[in-house]
Amino acid sequence: IPASGMRIELYKYDTADNNNITKQLMKSFVTNSDGRLPSGPALKGSEFAVGQYQWIFYVGDYFARFSSSRICGTPFLDVVRLDFGLDDPTDHYHVPLLCSPWSYSTYRGS
């Protein structure tokens, strides 16, 4: 079932100073009825740069809408943070998250 209405944030790590790695919020999204980003790819054109990134998926908020997902009132998974790297701005990257209230999996899709 596609995760319609899940809040997601995309951050880019600033690794210019190896002693002080920070991250900057690039964009926030809410998934559409197909569980995808409503405007297509997250990064387009000059935004798509080599570097380290982080997706933050608010799965606890998403599953809280379904009473059967909260067995004890506290979500087992609340926020899923996914760190990944992009090394070729001319390539296509698809980073899906498959999740349940108790587990998740990801991969580099096509």
Side-chain angles (χ1 to χ4, degrees), residues 32-98:
N32 64 18
S33 61
D34 290 328
R36 297 178 179 270
L37 301 183
S39 58
L43 299 174
K44 299 173 187 171
S46 62
E47 296 173 321
F48 199 129
V50 171
Q52 292 296 122
Y53 293 82
Q54 181 182 65
W55 279 118
I56 297 183
F57 297 88
Y58 292 89
V59 299
D61 291 345
Y62 171 76
F63 285 115
R65 293 186 283 162
F66 309 101
S67 61
S68 64
S69 70
R70 288 196 175 227
I71 293 175
C72 65
T74 301
F76 181 72
L77 291 175
D78 189 26
V79 176
V80 173
R81 291 172 177 85
L82 175 61
D83 293 326
F84 63 100
L86 302 178
D87 64 355
D88 184 356
T90 65
D91 209 349
H92 175 80
Y93 292 82
H94 178 68
V95 185
L97 181 76
L98 308 168

